[in-house]
Amino acid sequence: MIPNCQRLPRSAHATALPMPSFRPLRPLGIVAALAMLVATAPVLAQTDGDFLAARAAYDKGDRAKLAAVAARLERHVLAPYVAYWQFKLGLDDASPIAVRNFVDRYPDTPLADRLRTDWLKSLARKGLWDRFAADYGPPSGDDLELACFTVLYKWRRDGDAALAEAIPLWASGAATPEACEPAFAALFANGTLTSADRRARLRLASETNNVRFAQALGNGLPGAERLSDRDFRDITKDPVAALAKGNFAWKSASGRELALYALERAARADPAAARAPWVKWRDKLPEADRRYGNARLAFHAARRLDPAANDYFREAGDVKLPAEVQAWRVRAALRAQAWDDVRDAVAAMPAAQQQESAWRYWRGRALVADGGIEEGRTLLASLAAEPNFYGILAAEALGQPFAAPLSRPLAPSADELAAFGARPAVQRVVKLAQLDMRAESVREWYYVVRGLADDELLLAAEYARRVGLYDRAINTAERTQARHDFALRYLAPYRDEFDAAARANAVDVALLYGIARQESRFNVDIVSSAGAVGLMQLMPGTARWVAKQMGQGDYRPGRIGEAQLNTQFGAFYFKYWLDRLDGMPALAAAAYNAGPGRAQAWRPAAPLEGAIWVETIPFNETRDYVKKVLANAQLYGHAFNTTAKPLTATLGTIMPRGATVASVSPSMAQ
């Protein structure tokens, strides 16, 4: 679930994870704790209402009201936000000196970077290139519009050679800002970009399902190559039927591209139905295009868990594939349990992709299965020390019990914590969190911790833990490179609530913690963009259903975020599906994230190793979620001394479809 707001937890009884080899975190003394809280409090706490009024005025575009309220907020900890909002609403009238002063006053902050970006784009839109040149510096972010304006600025300054920077911007399947068009037009005019590049971009847009943009690119092809709306009409109406008819100008490059567009639409809708018409016509295409089409059909078949997908990929040969398709080439081979194809598909990946944990693990497994036992075990051994899903599996594949990772925690003094909390940027982080401005709080924190050394990161993580910003504590502790504190990475707050929920529902408490760490990072009041609430991220409809099942007639929707109730309901919901999905935690976790209907639909046609089943979950989010939940549970289990099963045994074997989803089910499953 992707959260969209946060308050500081009502309950602050967080405890560090008691991993066996870890030194316990030393609590602050009362006097030092009070000093830290004073240091992090705003100078004028009573003006929080004024600040919220200023935000409301900004949201409404009311410059006069914003100016009136801003006068009362000059010493507020969030005064920079008020100043930024005033600049934003009046940017066209802003003084260059005032903008420069703001950027200089708040260097290395998200507000300064945002204002600078906004200012430069405003200057470029008005054609004030001399002013743009005076204020320009290399962009700190990835704002595409500013990148295109930067190309135009350099083109004016350096001549046509600067246009080369726009070429990578053209190679996108998404529409680009209007600011990019002059550079693209110049590149076409001087012959650097050609009709072939237009067709290549049409293909990219088709692959990324940007249908309207793909059609616009076809409309923009020159002369006789142009593809009209009429050319796309039959494909849009029924892509499989259009592909079967094969009414394409096979001898022209644009006609062949239209055929591949039809294949893409047909395969996306129904790869099995697209197969026969594709095979009928594909020999009319040049070999490179034919192999490309084979790969696209195979990709969509693999994502539908079609058993024939691996055979389709074989027909693609050695065609160059984007990273996502290359990954599915491996997954299709795994699903078919064709270990030689797994080995070859990983070997065909770019070097950087091969080094990802997933592909190192599966290549090691493939080598062992295909006779390269020594090489495979060496590869698995290089992975076995990593505290993640694949590291745990690699250790178990070598017959070794997974060892809890070693920690070297930091023990910051009260003075060090107080000094960190006294930083204005840190005070803004805390206040923004208190005022439910989660996105801004997270962005400020990123600027606070970026570039810090390990000891500084651990200090920041410990401070975040003590003020209840558990998500910041976990994420910051995960950034360390050499010195690690796994007690901070795997915090265990709300222990009483989780223990009670685990006992009441006969669920391993480590598994509940694994879910909550992934769902909410222990932010008790978090609400996702979809409306899921609390530690276990329950949808309101799911909570109502659970309340009914548990006989809690006094349940009120306003209680959904309470830690005790939320953990109880989440544990009940997870256990409900765990019992109905063969007691398989991987299936139940997938059901918790993507819905039980999908978890059932993803069952294999024949018994399948659990790790392979997880690797081939079609949804990227759910696949990543299940891996992390189960790995989290292993690490929490080691910390709590409750781990009963190795991860491989927990994953088990996923059996074929057969059981049906229970007739009594939540009205709004997650």
Side-chain angles (χ1 to χ4, degrees), residues 43 132 183 198 207 281 408 434 524 528:
V43 176
F132 186 98
R198 290 190 187 276
E207 290 174 6
W281 296 112
R408 289 195 300 128
Q434 290 172 340
V524 71
S528 80

Side-chain angles (χ1 to χ4, degrees), residues 395-608:
E396 293 177 0
L398 294 169
Q400 304 167 2
F402 177 71
L406 297 177
S407 269
R408 289 195 300 128
L410 188 72
S413 68
D415 288 344
E416 289 172 322
L417 289 164
F420 181 83
R423 299 181 188 180
V426 176
Q427 292 181 9
R428 291 196 296 270
V429 167
V430 175
K431 178 55 67 177
L432 288 164
Q434 290 172 340
L435 297 179
D436 284 341
M437 297 177 66
R438 173 176 164 76
E440 291 84 354
S441 179
V442 169
R443 191 179 297 114
E444 283 273 7
W445 185 259
Y446 168 76
Y447 275 71
V448 168
V449 301
R450 67 177 182 175
L452 295 185
D454 284 357
D455 284 7
E456 296 169 305
L457 287 170
L458 293 178
L459 170 65
E462 173 60 9
Y463 176 86
R465 182 188 76 83
R466 297 196 188 201
V467 297
L469 297 177
Y470 302 130
D471 61 335
R472 254 51 64 84
I474 292 169
N475 294 345
T476 303
E478 286 185 330
R479 294 169 66 95
T480 57
Q481 298 297 311
R483 180 174 187 169
H484 307 303
D485 185 345
F486 286 90
L488 284 172
R489 291 191 185 193
Y490 291 88
L491 291 177
Y494 305 103
R495 187 64 190 269
D496 292 344
E497 288 86 348
F498 279 103
D499 279 342
R503 287 193 302 270
N505 294 280
V507 179
D508 183 359
V509 68
L511 194 50
L512 293 185
Y513 266 108
I515 294 169
R517 184 181 187 272
Q518 196 59 27
E519 289 282 354
S520 67
R521 286 292 200 260
F522 307 112
N523 288 306
V524 71
D525 289 331
I526 208 165
V527 180
S528 80
S529 57
V533 179
L535 294 170
M536 300 291 284
Q537 287 289 274
L538 295 172
M539 294 294 288
T542 299
R544 287 195 301 271
W545 179 83
V546 172
K548 183 177 179 181
Q549 297 299 307
M550 295 181 70
Q552 294 200 11
D554 61 345
Y555 168 72
R556 302 183 309 278
R559 296 181 57 205
I560 189 174
E562 295 175 6
Q564 183 176 7
L565 182 141
N566 195 275
T567 51
Q568 285 284 349
F569 279 21
F572 179 94
Y573 183 72
F574 179 79
K575 183 61 160 56
Y576 181 89
W577 289 114
L578 183 64
D579 289 344
R580 285 154 182 78
L581 293 167
D582 303 340
M584 303 298 292
L587 279 169
Y592 199 95
N593 178 261
R598 292 192 179 99
Q600 288 279 29
W602 295 334
R603 283 176 178 267
L608 187 67

Side-chain angles (χ1 to χ4, degrees), residues 74-97:
E74 291 180 356
R75 297 181 63 203
H76 192 277
V77 67
L78 298 180
Y81 280 80
V82 181
Y84 170 75
W85 294 336
Q86 289 181 289
F87 274 117
K88 185 73 173 174
L89 292 184
L91 199 59
D92 287 341
D93 303 322
S95 157
I97 294 176

Side-chain angles (χ1 to χ4, degrees), residues 34-53:
L34 289 173
M36 185 175 74
L37 291 175
V38 169
T40 59
V43 176
L44 295 175
Q46 70 272 17
T47 61
D48 284 355
D50 288 332
F51 176 79
L52 294 175

